[in-house]
Coordinates of all heavy atoms in Angstrom, one line a residue:
M511 N 0.8 -1.2 0.0 CA 0.0 0.0 0.0 C 0.9 1.3 0.0 O 1.9 1.3 0.7 CB -0.9 0.0 1.2 CG -1.9 1.1 1.2 SD -3.1 0.8 2.5 CE -3.9 2.4 2.6
L512 N 0.5 2.3 -0.7 CA 1.2 3.5 -0.9 C 1.0 4.4 0.3 O -0.2 4.7 0.7 CB 0.8 4.2 -2.2 CG 1.7 5.2 -2.8 CD1 3.0 4.6 -3.2 CD2 1.0 5.8 -4.0
A513 N 2.0 4.9 0.9 CA 1.9 5.8 2.0 C 1.5 7.2 1.5 O 1.9 7.5 0.4 CB 3.2 5.9 2.8
L514 N 0.7 7.9 2.2 CA 0.2 9.3 1.8 C 1.4 10.2 1.4 O 1.3 10.9 0.5 CB -0.7 9.9 2.9 CG -1.3 11.2 2.5 CD1 -2.3 11.0 1.3 CD2 -2.1 11.8 3.6
S515 N 2.4 10.0 2.2 CA 3.6 10.9 2.0 C 4.3 10.6 0.7 O 5.1 11.4 0.2 CB 4.6 10.8 3.1 OG 5.0 9.4 3.2
A516 N 4.0 9.5 0.0 CA 4.6 9.1 -1.2 C 3.9 9.7 -2.4 O 4.3 9.7 -3.5 CB 4.6 7.6 -1.4
I517 N 2.7 10.4 -2.2 CA 2.0 11.0 -3.3 C 2.7 12.3 -3.6 O 2.9 13.1 -2.7 CB 0.5 11.3 -2.9 CG1 -0.2 9.9 -2.6 CG2 -0.2 12.1 -4.0 CD1 -1.6 10.1 -2.1
P518 N 3.0 12.5 -4.8 CA 3.7 13.8 -5.2 C 2.9 15.0 -4.9 O 1.7 15.0 -5.2 CB 3.9 13.6 -6.7 CG 3.7 12.2 -7.0 CD 2.8 11.6 -6.0
V519 N 3.5 16.0 -4.3 CA 2.8 17.2 -3.9 C 2.2 17.9 -5.2 O 1.1 18.4 -5.1 CB 3.8 18.2 -3.2 CG1 3.1 19.6 -3.0 CG2 4.3 17.6 -1.9
Q520 N 2.9 17.7 -6.3 CA 2.4 18.3 -7.5 C 1.0 17.9 -7.9 O 0.2 18.7 -8.3 CB 3.3 17.9 -8.7 CG 3.2 18.7 -9.9 CD 3.6 20.2 -9.8 OE1 4.3 20.5 -8.9 NE2 3.2 21.0 -10.7
L521 N 0.6 16.6 -7.6 CA -0.7 16.1 -7.9 C -1.7 16.9 -7.1 O -2.8 17.2 -7.5 CB -0.8 14.6 -7.6 CG -0.2 13.7 -8.6 CD1 -0.4 12.3 -8.1 CD2 -0.8 13.9 -10.0
I522 N -1.4 17.1 -5.8 CA -2.4 17.8 -4.9 C -2.5 19.3 -5.4 O -3.6 19.9 -5.5 CB -1.9 17.7 -3.5 CG1 -1.9 16.3 -3.1 CG2 -2.8 18.6 -2.6 CD1 -1.2 16.0 -1.7
A523 N -1.4 19.9 -5.6 CA -1.3 21.3 -6.0 C -2.0 21.6 -7.3 O -2.4 22.8 -7.6 CB 0.1 21.9 -5.9
D524 N -2.0 20.7 -8.2 CA -2.6 20.9 -9.6 C -4.1 20.7 -9.7 O -4.6 20.7 -10.8 CB -1.9 20.0 -10.6 CG -0.5 20.5 -10.9 OD1 -0.2 21.6 -10.5 OD2 0.2 19.8 -11.7
D525 N -4.7 20.6 -8.6 CA -6.2 20.4 -8.6 C -6.8 21.7 -9.2 O -6.5 22.8 -8.8 CB -6.7 20.3 -7.2 CG -7.1 18.9 -6.8 OD1 -7.0 18.0 -7.7 OD2 -7.6 18.7 -5.7
K526 N -7.7 21.4 -10.1 CA -8.4 22.6 -10.7 C -9.6 22.9 -9.9 O -10.4 22.0 -9.4 CB -8.8 22.3 -12.1 CG -7.7 22.2 -13.1 CD -8.0 21.7 -14.5 CE -6.8 21.6 -15.3 NZ -7.0 20.8 -16.5
L527 N -9.9 24.2 -9.7 CA -11.0 24.7 -8.9 C -12.3 24.4 -9.6 O -12.5 24.7 -10.8 CB -10.9 26.2 -8.6 CG -12.0 26.8 -7.8 CD1 -12.0 26.3 -6.4 CD2 -11.9 28.3 -7.8
S528 N -13.2 23.7 -8.9 CA -14.5 23.4 -9.4 C -15.5 24.6 -9.2 O -15.4 25.2 -8.1 CB -15.1 22.1 -8.8 OG -16.4 22.0 -9.0
E529 N -16.4 24.8 -10.1 CA -17.4 25.8 -9.9 C -18.3 25.4 -8.8 O -19.0 26.3 -8.2 CB -18.2 26.0 -11.2 CG -17.4 26.7 -12.3 CD -18.2 26.8 -13.6 OE1 -19.4 26.4 -13.6 OE2 -17.7 27.4 -14.6
D530 N -18.3 24.1 -8.4 CA -19.2 23.6 -7.4 C -18.6 23.8 -6.0 O -19.3 23.5 -5.0 CB -19.6 22.2 -7.6 CG -20.3 22.0 -8.9 OD1 -21.1 22.9 -9.3 OD2 -20.2 20.9 -9.5
D531 N -17.3 24.1 -5.9 CA -16.7 24.3 -4.6 C -17.4 25.4 -3.9 O -17.8 26.5 -4.5 CB -15.2 24.8 -4.9 CG -14.4 25.1 -3.6 OD1 -14.7 26.1 -3.0 OD2 -13.6 24.3 -3.3
P532 N -17.8 25.2 -2.6 CA -18.5 26.2 -1.8 C -17.9 27.6 -1.9 O -18.6 28.6 -2.0 CB -18.6 25.7 -0.4 CG -18.4 24.2 -0.6 CD -17.5 24.0 -1.8
L533 N -16.6 27.7 -1.7 CA -16.0 29.0 -1.7 C -16.0 29.6 -3.2 O -16.3 30.8 -3.3 CB -14.5 28.9 -1.3 CG -13.8 30.3 -1.1 CD1 -14.5 31.1 0.0 CD2 -12.3 30.0 -0.7
A534 N -15.9 28.8 -4.2 CA -16.0 29.3 -5.5 C -17.4 29.8 -5.8 O -17.6 30.8 -6.5 CB -15.7 28.1 -6.5
Q535 N -18.4 29.1 -5.3 CA -19.8 29.6 -5.5 C -20.0 30.9 -4.8 O -20.7 31.8 -5.3 CB -20.7 28.5 -5.0 CG -20.8 27.3 -5.9 CD -21.9 26.4 -5.5 OE1 -22.3 26.3 -4.4 NE2 -22.4 25.6 -6.5
A536 N -19.4 31.0 -3.6 CA -19.6 32.3 -2.9 C -19.0 33.5 -3.6 O -19.5 34.6 -3.6 CB -19.0 32.2 -1.5
F537 N -18.0 33.2 -4.4 CA -17.3 34.3 -5.1 C -17.8 34.3 -6.6 O -17.3 35.1 -7.4 CB -15.8 34.1 -5.1 CG -15.1 34.6 -3.9 CD1 -14.9 33.7 -2.8 CD2 -14.8 35.9 -3.7 CE1 -14.3 34.1 -1.7 CE2 -14.2 36.4 -2.6 CZ -13.9 35.5 -1.5
G538 N -18.8 33.5 -6.9 CA -19.3 33.5 -8.3 C -18.3 33.1 -9.3 O -18.4 33.5 -10.5
Y539 N -17.3 32.2 -9.0 CA -16.3 31.7 -9.9 C -16.9 31.0 -11.1 O -17.7 30.1 -10.9 CB -15.3 30.9 -9.2 CG -14.3 30.2 -10.1 CD1 -13.2 30.9 -10.7 CD2 -14.4 28.8 -10.4 CE1 -12.3 30.3 -11.5 CE2 -13.5 28.2 -11.2 CZ -12.4 28.9 -11.8 OH -11.5 28.3 -12.6
K540 N -16.4 31.3 -12.3 CA -16.8 30.6 -13.5 C -15.5 30.3 -14.3 O -14.6 31.1 -14.4 CB -17.7 31.4 -14.4 CG -19.1 31.6 -13.8 CD -19.9 30.3 -13.9 CE -21.3 30.5 -13.4 NZ -22.0 29.2 -13.3
L541 N -15.5 29.0 -14.8 CA -14.3 28.6 -15.6 C -14.3 29.5 -16.9 O -13.2 29.7 -17.4 CB -14.5 27.2 -16.0 CG -14.2 26.1 -14.9 CD1 -15.0 24.8 -15.2 CD2 -12.7 25.9 -14.8
D542 N -15.4 29.9 -17.4 CA -15.5 30.7 -18.6 C -16.2 32.0 -18.1 O -17.4 32.1 -17.9 CB -16.4 30.0 -19.6 CG -16.6 30.8 -20.9 OD1 -16.2 32.0 -20.9 OD2 -17.2 30.3 -21.8
A543 N -15.4 33.1 -18.1 CA -15.8 34.4 -17.6 C -17.0 34.9 -18.4 O -17.8 35.7 -17.8 CB -14.7 35.4 -17.6
T544 N -17.2 34.5 -19.6 CA -18.3 35.0 -20.4 C -19.6 34.4 -20.0 O -20.7 34.9 -20.4 CB -18.1 34.7 -21.9 OG1 -18.1 33.3 -22.1 CG2 -16.8 35.3 -22.4
T545 N -19.6 33.4 -19.1 CA -20.9 32.8 -18.6 C -21.3 33.4 -17.2 O -22.3 32.9 -16.7 CB -20.7 31.3 -18.5 OG1 -19.8 31.0 -17.5 CG2 -20.3 30.7 -19.8
V546 N -20.6 34.4 -16.7 CA -20.9 35.0 -15.4 C -22.3 35.6 -15.5 O -22.7 36.3 -16.5 CB -19.9 36.0 -15.0 CG1 -20.4 36.8 -13.8 CG2 -18.6 35.3 -14.7
D547 N -23.1 35.4 -14.5 CA -24.4 36.0 -14.4 C -24.2 37.5 -13.9 O -24.0 37.8 -12.8 CB -25.3 35.3 -13.3 CG -26.7 35.8 -13.1 OD1 -26.9 37.0 -13.6 OD2 -27.5 35.2 -12.5
T548 N -24.3 38.4 -14.9 CA -23.9 39.8 -14.6 C -25.0 40.5 -13.8 O -24.8 41.6 -13.4 CB -23.6 40.5 -15.9 OG1 -24.6 40.4 -16.8 CG2 -22.3 40.0 -16.5
E549 N -26.2 39.9 -13.8 CA -27.2 40.5 -12.9 C -26.9 40.3 -11.4 O -27.0 41.1 -10.6 CB -28.6 40.0 -13.3 CG -29.1 40.5 -14.6 CD -30.6 40.4 -14.7 OE1 -31.3 40.0 -13.7 OE2 -31.0 40.6 -15.9
K550 N -26.4 39.1 -11.2 CA -26.0 38.7 -9.8 C -24.6 39.3 -9.5 O -24.3 39.7 -8.3 CB -25.9 37.2 -9.7 CG -25.9 36.6 -8.3 CD -26.1 35.1 -8.3 CE -25.9 34.6 -6.9 NZ -26.0 33.1 -6.9
F551 N -23.7 39.4 -10.5 CA -22.4 39.9 -10.3 C -22.1 41.1 -11.3 O -21.4 40.9 -12.3 CB -21.3 38.8 -10.5 CG -21.5 37.7 -9.5 CD1 -22.0 36.5 -9.8 CD2 -21.0 37.9 -8.1 CE1 -22.2 35.5 -8.9 CE2 -21.2 36.8 -7.2 CZ -21.8 35.7 -7.6
P552 N -22.7 42.3 -11.0 CA -22.7 43.4 -11.9 C -21.3 43.9 -12.1 O -21.0 44.7 -13.1 CB -23.6 44.5 -11.2 CG -23.7 44.0 -9.8 CD -23.6 42.5 -9.8
K553 N -20.3 43.6 -11.3 CA -18.9 44.0 -11.5 C -18.4 43.6 -12.9 O -17.6 44.3 -13.4 CB -18.1 43.3 -10.4 CG -16.6 43.7 -10.3 CD -16.0 43.0 -9.1 CE -14.6 43.2 -9.0 NZ -14.0 42.7 -7.8
R554 N -18.9 42.5 -13.4 CA -18.4 42.0 -14.7 C -19.4 42.4 -15.8 O -19.2 42.0 -17.0 CB -18.2 40.5 -14.7 CG -17.2 40.2 -15.9 CD -16.9 38.8 -16.0 NE -15.8 38.6 -17.0 CZ -16.1 38.6 -18.3 NH1 -17.3 38.7 -18.8 NH2 -15.1 38.5 -19.2
A555 N -20.3 43.3 -15.5 CA -21.2 43.8 -16.6 C -20.5 44.9 -17.4 O -19.6 45.5 -16.9 CB -22.5 44.3 -16.0
G556 N -21.0 45.2 -18.6 CA -20.6 46.3 -19.4 C -19.3 46.1 -20.1 O -18.7 45.0 -19.9
E557 N -18.8 47.1 -20.7 CA -17.6 47.0 -21.5 C -16.4 46.8 -20.6 O -15.5 45.9 -20.9 CB -17.3 48.3 -22.3 CG -17.8 48.3 -23.7 CD -17.5 49.6 -24.4 OE1 -16.3 49.9 -24.5 OE2 -18.5 50.2 -24.9
A558 N -16.3 47.5 -19.5 CA -15.1 47.3 -18.6 C -15.2 45.9 -18.0 O -14.1 45.2 -17.9 CB -15.2 48.4 -17.5
G559 N -16.4 45.5 -17.6 CA -16.5 44.1 -17.0 C -16.1 43.0 -17.9 O -15.5 42.0 -17.5
A560 N -16.4 43.2 -19.2 CA -16.1 42.2 -20.2 C -14.6 42.0 -20.4 O -14.2 41.0 -21.0 CB -16.8 42.5 -21.5
T561 N -13.8 42.9 -19.9 CA -12.3 42.8 -20.1 C -11.7 42.0 -18.9 O -10.5 41.8 -18.9 CB -11.6 44.1 -20.1 OG1 -11.8 44.8 -18.9 CG2 -12.2 45.0 -21.3
Q562 N -12.5 41.7 -17.9 CA -12.0 41.0 -16.7 C -11.9 39.5 -16.8 O -12.9 38.8 -17.1 CB -12.9 41.3 -15.5 CG -13.0 42.8 -15.2 CD -14.0 43.1 -14.1 OE1 -14.6 42.2 -13.5 NE2 -14.2 44.4 -13.8
F563 N -10.7 39.0 -16.6 CA -10.4 37.5 -16.7 C -9.4 37.2 -15.6 O -8.6 38.1 -15.2 CB -9.8 37.1 -18.0 CG -10.8 37.3 -19.2 CD1 -10.8 38.4 -19.9 CD2 -11.7 36.3 -19.5 CE1 -11.7 38.6 -21.0 CE2 -12.6 36.4 -20.5 CZ -12.6 37.6 -21.3
C564 N -9.3 36.0 -15.2 CA -8.3 35.6 -14.1 C -6.9 36.0 -14.6 O -6.1 36.5 -13.8 CB -8.4 34.1 -13.9 SG -9.9 33.6 -13.0
D565 N -6.6 35.8 -15.9 CA -5.2 36.1 -16.3 C -4.8 37.5 -16.3 O -3.7 37.9 -16.6 CB -4.9 35.4 -17.6 CG -5.7 35.9 -18.8 OD1 -6.5 36.8 -18.6 OD2 -5.5 35.3 -19.9
N566 N -5.8 38.5 -16.0 CA -5.4 39.9 -15.9 C -5.8 40.4 -14.5 O -5.9 41.6 -14.3 CB -5.9 40.8 -17.0 CG -7.4 40.8 -17.1 OD1 -8.1 40.4 -16.2 ND2 -7.9 41.3 -18.3
C567 N -6.0 39.5 -13.6 CA -6.4 39.8 -12.2 C -5.1 39.9 -11.4 O -4.2 39.1 -11.5 CB -7.3 38.7 -11.6 SG -7.6 38.8 -9.9
A568 N -5.0 40.8 -10.4 CA -3.9 41.0 -9.6 C -3.6 39.8 -8.7 O -2.5 39.6 -8.2 CB -4.0 42.2 -8.8
L569 N -4.6 39.0 -8.5 CA -4.5 37.8 -7.6 C -4.1 36.5 -8.3 O -4.0 35.5 -7.7 CB -5.8 37.6 -6.8 CG -6.2 38.8 -6.0 CD1 -7.6 38.6 -5.3 CD2 -5.2 39.1 -4.9
Y570 N -4.0 36.6 -9.6 CA -3.6 35.5 -10.5 C -2.1 35.4 -10.4 O -1.4 36.3 -10.7 CB -4.1 35.7 -11.9 CG -4.0 34.4 -12.8 CD1 -4.7 33.3 -12.6 CD2 -3.1 34.5 -13.9 CE1 -4.6 32.2 -13.4 CE2 -3.1 33.4 -14.8 CZ -3.8 32.3 -14.5 OH -3.7 31.2 -15.4
V571 N -1.6 34.2 -10.0 CA -0.1 34.1 -9.8 C 0.6 33.3 -10.9 O 1.3 32.4 -10.6 CB 0.1 33.4 -8.4 CG1 1.5 33.7 -7.9 CG2 -0.9 33.9 -7.4
S572 N 0.2 33.6 -12.1 CA 0.9 32.8 -13.2 C 1.4 33.8 -14.2 O 0.7 34.7 -14.6 CB -0.1 31.9 -13.8 OG 0.5 31.1 -14.9
D573 N 2.6 33.5 -14.7 CA 3.2 34.4 -15.7 C 3.3 33.7 -17.0 O 3.9 34.1 -17.9 CB 4.5 35.0 -15.2 CG 5.5 33.9 -14.9 OD1 5.1 32.7 -15.0 OD2 6.6 34.2 -14.5
S574 N 2.7 32.5 -17.1 CA 2.8 31.7 -18.3 C 1.5 31.9 -19.1 O 0.5 32.5 -18.7 CB 3.0 30.3 -18.0 OG 1.8 29.7 -17.4
A575 N 1.5 31.3 -20.3 CA 0.3 31.3 -21.1 C -0.6 30.1 -20.9 O -1.3 29.7 -21.7 CB 0.7 31.5 -22.6
A576 N -0.4 29.4 -19.7 CA -1.1 28.2 -19.4 C -2.6 28.5 -19.3 O -3.0 29.6 -19.0 CB -0.6 27.6 -18.1
E577 N -3.4 27.4 -19.5 CA -4.9 27.6 -19.4 C -5.3 27.7 -18.0 O -6.4 28.2 -17.7 CB -5.5 26.4 -20.1 CG -5.4 26.4 -21.6 CD -6.2 25.2 -22.2 OE1 -7.3 24.9 -21.8 OE2 -5.6 24.6 -23.2
F578 N -4.5 27.2 -17.0 CA -4.9 27.3 -15.6 C -3.7 27.8 -14.9 O -2.5 27.5 -15.2 CB -5.3 25.9 -15.1 CG -6.7 25.5 -15.6 CD1 -6.8 24.9 -16.8 CD2 -7.8 25.7 -14.8 CE1 -8.0 24.5 -17.3 CE2 -9.0 25.3 -15.3 CZ -9.2 24.7 -16.5
G579 N -3.9 28.5 -13.7 CA -2.8 29.0 -12.9 C -3.3 29.2 -11.5 O -4.5 29.2 -11.2
P580 N -2.4 29.3 -10.5 CA -2.7 29.6 -9.1 C -3.3 30.9 -8.9 O -3.1 31.9 -9.6 CB -1.4 29.5 -8.4 CG -0.4 28.9 -9.4 CD -0.9 29.3 -10.8
C581 N -4.1 31.0 -7.9 CA -4.8 32.2 -7.4 C -4.6 32.4 -5.9 O -4.6 31.4 -5.2 CB -6.3 32.1 -7.8 SG -7.3 33.3 -6.9
S582 N -4.3 33.6 -5.5 CA -4.1 33.9 -4.1 C -5.2 33.5 -3.2 O -5.1 33.1 -2.0 CB -3.7 35.3 -3.8 OG -2.6 35.7 -4.6
I583 N -6.4 33.6 -3.7 CA -7.6 33.3 -2.9 C -7.9 31.8 -2.7 O -8.1 31.3 -1.7 CB -8.9 34.0 -3.4 CG1 -8.7 35.5 -3.2 CG2 -10.1 33.5 -2.8 CD1 -9.9 36.3 -3.6
F584 N -7.8 31.1 -3.9 CA -8.1 29.7 -3.9 C -6.8 28.9 -3.8 O -6.4 28.3 -4.8 CB -8.9 29.3 -5.1 CG -10.2 30.1 -5.2 CD1 -10.3 31.2 -6.1 CD2 -11.3 29.8 -4.4 CE1 -11.5 31.9 -6.2 CE2 -12.5 30.5 -4.5 CZ -12.6 31.5 -5.4
Q585 N -6.3 28.8 -2.6 CA -5.0 28.2 -2.3 C -5.1 26.7 -2.7 O -6.1 26.0 -2.5 CB -4.7 28.3 -0.9 CG -4.7 29.8 -0.4 CD -3.3 30.4 -0.4 OE1 -2.3 29.8 -0.1 NE2 -3.3 31.7 -0.8
D586 N -4.0 26.2 -3.3 CA -3.8 24.8 -3.7 C -4.8 24.4 -4.8 O -5.0 23.2 -5.0 CB -4.0 23.9 -2.5 CG -3.0 24.1 -1.4 OD1 -1.8 24.5 -1.7 OD2 -3.3 24.0 -0.2
K587 N -5.4 25.3 -5.4 CA -6.3 25.0 -6.6 C -5.8 25.9 -7.7 O -5.3 27.0 -7.5 CB -7.8 25.4 -6.3 CG -8.3 24.6 -5.1 CD -8.8 23.2 -5.5 CE -9.4 22.5 -4.3 NZ -9.7 21.1 -4.6
L588 N -6.1 25.4 -8.9 CA -5.7 26.2 -10.1 C -7.0 26.8 -10.7 O -8.1 26.1 -10.8 CB -5.0 25.3 -11.2 CG -3.7 24.7 -10.7 CD1 -3.2 23.9 -11.9 CD2 -2.7 25.8 -10.4
V589 N -7.0 28.0 -11.1 CA -8.2 28.6 -11.7 C -7.9 28.8 -13.2 O -6.8 28.9 -13.7 CB -8.5 30.0 -11.0 CG1 -8.8 29.8 -9.6 CG2 -7.4 31.0 -11.2
A590 N -9.0 28.9 -14.0 CA -8.9 29.0 -15.4 C -8.4 30.4 -15.8 O -8.9 31.4 -15.3 CB -10.2 28.8 -16.1
A591 N -7.5 30.5 -16.7 CA -6.9 31.8 -17.2 C -8.1 32.7 -17.7 O -8.1 33.9 -17.5 CB -5.9 31.6 -18.3
K592 N -9.0 32.1 -18.4 CA -10.2 32.8 -18.9 C -11.4 32.7 -18.0 O -12.5 33.0 -18.5 CB -10.5 32.3 -20.3 CG -9.4 32.7 -21.3 CD -9.1 34.2 -21.4 CE -7.9 34.5 -22.2 NZ -7.4 35.9 -21.9
G593 N -11.1 32.4 -16.7 CA -12.2 32.4 -15.7 C -12.4 33.7 -15.1 O -11.8 34.7 -15.5
W594 N -13.2 33.8 -14.1 CA -13.5 35.0 -13.3 C -14.1 34.7 -12.0 O -14.8 33.7 -11.9 CB -14.4 35.9 -14.2 CG -14.7 37.3 -13.6 CD1 -14.0 38.4 -13.7 CD2 -15.8 37.6 -12.7 NE1 -14.6 39.4 -13.0 CE2 -15.7 39.0 -12.4 CE3 -16.8 36.9 -12.1 CZ2 -16.6 39.6 -11.5 CZ3 -17.7 37.5 -11.3 CH2 -17.6 38.9 -11.0
C595 N -13.9 35.6 -11.0 CA -14.7 35.6 -9.8 C -14.9 37.0 -9.3 O -14.2 37.9 -9.8 CB -14.1 34.7 -8.7 SG -13.0 35.5 -7.6
N596 N -15.8 37.2 -8.4 CA -16.1 38.5 -7.9 C -15.0 39.2 -7.1 O -15.1 40.4 -6.8 CB -17.4 38.5 -7.1 CG -18.1 39.8 -7.0 OD1 -18.2 40.5 -8.0 ND2 -18.8 40.1 -5.9
A597 N -14.0 38.5 -6.8 CA -12.8 39.1 -6.1 C -11.8 39.7 -7.1 O -10.8 40.2 -6.7 CB -12.1 38.1 -5.2
W598 N -12.2 39.7 -8.4 CA -11.2 40.2 -9.4 C -10.8 41.6 -9.1 O -11.5 42.5 -8.7 CB -11.9 40.3 -10.8 CG -11.0 40.7 -11.9 CD1 -10.2 39.9 -12.7 CD2 -10.8 42.0 -12.4 NE1 -9.5 40.6 -13.6 CE2 -9.8 41.9 -13.4 CE3 -11.2 43.3 -12.0 CZ2 -9.4 43.1 -14.1 CZ3 -10.8 44.4 -12.7 CH2 -9.8 44.3 -13.7
I599 N -9.5 41.8 -9.2 CA -8.8 43.1 -8.9 C -7.9 43.5 -10.1 O -7.2 42.7 -10.6 CB -7.9 43.1 -7.6 CG1 -8.8 42.7 -6.4 CG2 -7.2 44.4 -7.4 CD1 -8.0 42.5 -5.2
V600 N -8.0 44.8 -10.5 CA -7.2 45.2 -11.6 C -5.7 45.0 -11.3 O -5.2 45.2 -10.2 CB -7.5 46.7 -11.9 CG1 -7.1 47.6 -10.8 CG2 -6.9 47.1 -13.3
N601 N -5.0 44.5 -12.3 CA -3.6 44.2 -12.2 C -2.8 45.5 -12.7 O -2.8 45.8 -13.8 CB -3.2 43.0 -13.1 CG -1.9 42.4 -12.7 OD1 -1.2 43.0 -11.9 ND2 -1.6 41.3 -13.2
T602 N -2.2 46.2 -11.7 CA -1.6 47.5 -12.1 C -0.1 47.3 -12.3 O 0.5 46.4 -11.9 CB -1.7 48.5 -11.0 OG1 -1.2 48.0 -9.7 CG2 -3.1 48.9 -10.8
Ligands
SF4_715 S1 -9.4 36.3 -7.5 FE1 -8.8 36.8 -9.6 S2 -7.5 35.1 -10.3 FE2 -8.6 34.4 -8.5 S3 -10.5 33.4 -9.3 FE3 -11.0 35.5 -8.8 S4 -10.7 36.6 -10.8 FE4 -9.6 34.6 -10.9

C-alpha cells in the first residue's frame, strides 16, 4: 500500500478549482468568464467588466500562457486563465 507521503505534492497542488466548490460559489467563480451572471455579479457587466479575466487579475499568480494557474484566494487550486470571480482586482 502506498503511504500518503509518497503522493507527489504536484498532484495535490494541480487540482483545478470546481465551480461547485462552496468558496468558488460564494465568489461566483466561473471557468468561462463570459458565462458569469452579470445581474448577480454586476462587477463584470458592461464594456469594462467584459475585459476582466483571471489572467489579468492581480490575484492570479501565473506568468505563463497556461490555461490554468494559481490564485491567491483559492489556495492549492488552479483557476482558469479565462475564468473570473467577484474578487477580481485590476492588475496594475
Ligand atoms: S481572484 Fe482573480 S484570479 Fe482568483 S479566481 Fe477571482 S478573478 Fe480569478
Side-chain angles (χ1 to χ4, degrees):
M511 183 169 169
L512 199 64
L514 186 60
S515 61
I517 298 173
V519 172
Q520 193 70 16
L521 282 181
I522 297 169
D524 280 355
D525 253 1
K526 290 176 184 164
L527 180 65
S528 165
E529 292 178 357
D530 296 330
D531 179 287
L533 188 59
Q535 287 191 330
F537 280 94
Y539 171 74
K540 289 289 182 187
L541 285 155
D542 176 354
T544 64
T545 66
V546 170
D547 180 349
T548 53
E549 285 199 12
K550 196 171 176 186
F551 298 102
K553 182 176 178 175
R554 201 177 186 281
E557 265 182 58
T561 65
Q562 299 173 6
F563 295 93
C564 289
D565 65 1
N566 62 16
C567 170
L569 302 175
Y570 191 65
V571 198
S572 181
D573 55 3
S574 71
E577 288 182 40
F578 288 83
C581 161
S582 299
I583 289 187
F584 301 104
Q585 306 266 319
D586 299 325
K587 300 279 184 186
L588 299 178
V589 298
K592 293 303 172 194
W594 183 90
C595 90
N596 203 35
W598 184 89
I599 298 175
V600 66
N601 198 350
T602 55

